[in-house]
Amino acid sequence: MSNSNVTTTNPVNKLALSFRSTITSYVDTQREFEVQGHRVVYQMIAEAFMVAQNIRKETLDIQTKAFAEHGFTVSKSKTANPYGPIVKLLFGEWKTVSGSQKFTSEQPAGQKTLFEPNRSAEKYACVFRYFDKRKDQFRSVADIVKHIEDTKGALRTIEDQDRKDHPSAKSKATAATDDLAWGKRTIGSVEIDRPDFVPQDADYGVLWFVKKDEEICLMGFKSMTADAFEASAKARGKLMRSAAIQQLDEEVTELAA
């Protein structure tokens, strides 16, 4: 699906539309050749990065107009990932919406379609920034695919490395808790391995357990957003502080008696 209000002569729009038209074929190929599924995804991401590089060669004005026509703006922060809006443009799609839904200021009231970014693809902005920092190493799509395949942990490791290279204020504040999420870690005085049922792409969450005799059995996992995790941690901190104060008051009362 396309949108009649998008400027077809804008080179950024042309590049994005051309790439989006290939995504369906990648998905079909991945389904047909499940064994080669990962390589197909790596190929798609490598080609998307090349397209993203061409988009960044256009003037900022041309890029901004293209993004605005798709309903989103570009952050002016110096620390913002320049590939964020490009990834939205490349992996999103136009969808038919009801008349009750709100439109952005750039979209006329009578418009029947809305551009919807693919939230699950947003992590590729980190992957692209990682490639950009090392772009002298990559002469072709094949070079990028090989690099992903040769990296232990593949895309997840690449994404993590980029986040380490460009830590946000929130990631700095939660660095200590992030260390508990992957691999064998010590929680309190107990050393545990990452349970198999915890998704590799889960950054925050909670585990629940059941005690049988003297054994603690981890039973499940629930994913959480970073904001929900932070709010829960603060609430728990308040409860622990309150409990500690109450215990101290009881000890003081007992001593005074």
Side-chain angles (χ1 to χ4, degrees):
M1 180 183 294
S2 60
N3 187 275
S4 59
N5 295 292
V6 171
T7 307
T8 57
T9 56
N10 187 312
V12 172
N13 287 334
K14 286 184 177 180
L15 287 166
L17 181 60
S18 176
F19 175 76
R20 288 201 302 269
S21 67
T22 67
I23 291 181
T24 301
S25 64
Y26 275 118
V27 173
D28 291 341
T29 302
Q30 186 176 356
R31 289 170 180 166
E32 185 177 353
F33 302 104
E34 292 185 2
V35 176
Q36 301 178 20
H38 289 304
R39 173 173 278 270
V40 171
V41 172
Y42 301 161
Q43 176 87 11
M44 176 184 70
I45 292 171
E47 292 190 9
F49 172 69
M50 293 300 190
V51 174
Q53 291 295 80
N54 287 331
I55 288 177
R56 292 195 67 195
K57 290 177 182 177
E58 300 296 336
T59 66
L60 184 60
D61 182 58
I62 289 177
Q63 292 182 54
T64 301
K65 287 181 179 178
F67 299 145
E69 288 175 338
H70 288 77
F72 49 90
T73 56
V74 181
S75 172
K76 295 181 180 180
S77 171
K78 293 181 179 180
T79 60
N81 188 339
Y83 289 100
I86 296 176
V87 165
K88 290 181 180 180
L89 191 67
L90 294 181
F91 292 93
E93 63 178 320
W94 290 102
K95 291 189 176 181
T96 301
V97 297
S98 64
S100 61
Q101 289 185 256
K102 294 181 179 180
F103 296 96
T104 64
S105 58
E106 293 84 1
Q107 297 170 320
Q111 186 170 310
K112 299 298 182 183
T113 57
L114 185 71
F115 192 79
E116 185 174 296
N118 183 339
R119 297 302 302 273
S120 65
E122 289 180 356
K123 57 183 176 289
Y124 297 149
C126 293
V127 174
F128 288 2
R129 186 167 57 182
Y130 171 96
F131 290 151
D132 183 72
K133 185 177 181 180
R134 300 160 176 80
K135 57 188 174 185
D136 292 340
Q137 302 177 26
F138 310 123
R139 296 182 180 181
S140 65
V141 167
D143 288 341
I144 296 177
V145 172
K146 185 177 187 303
H147 182 81
I148 298 173
E149 291 181 326
D150 290 346
T151 301
K152 185 177 181 180
L155 292 173
R156 177 70 205 191
T157 297
I158 290 174
E159 180 190 348
D160 285 347
Q161 183 59 55
D162 175 78
R163 293 188 186 280
K164 289 179 181 178
D165 292 342
H166 303 84
S168 64
K170 180 174 290 187
S171 65
K172 289 178 181 178
T174 59
T177 55
D178 284 345
D179 286 342
L180 299 178
W182 310 108
K184 180 173 287 187
R185 304 295 181 192
T186 300
I187 301 179
S189 61
V190 181
E191 188 179 76
I192 66 169
D193 291 309
R194 185 188 67 80
D196 292 337
F197 54 74
V198 175
Q200 289 285 355
D201 60 351
D203 291 319
Y204 301 90
V206 293
L207 295 169
W208 61 86
F209 67 90
V210 61
K211 182 179 180 181
K212 294 183 178 180
D213 298 323
E214 295 303 315
E215 294 293 324
I216 298 296
C217 300
L218 296 176
M219 302 299 293
F221 167 83
K222 180 180 179 181
S223 181
M224 300 174 70
T225 64
D227 290 340
F229 181 89
E230 185 175 357
S232 177
K234 287 181 178 179
R236 180 170 177 76
K238 290 180 180 178
L239 288 173
M240 293 173 68
R241 180 174 180 275
S242 178
I245 292 175
Q246 182 179 349
Q247 182 178 356
L248 181 61
D249 287 343
E250 291 175 352
E251 291 175 355
V252 171
T253 301
E254 184 177 348
L255 287 172

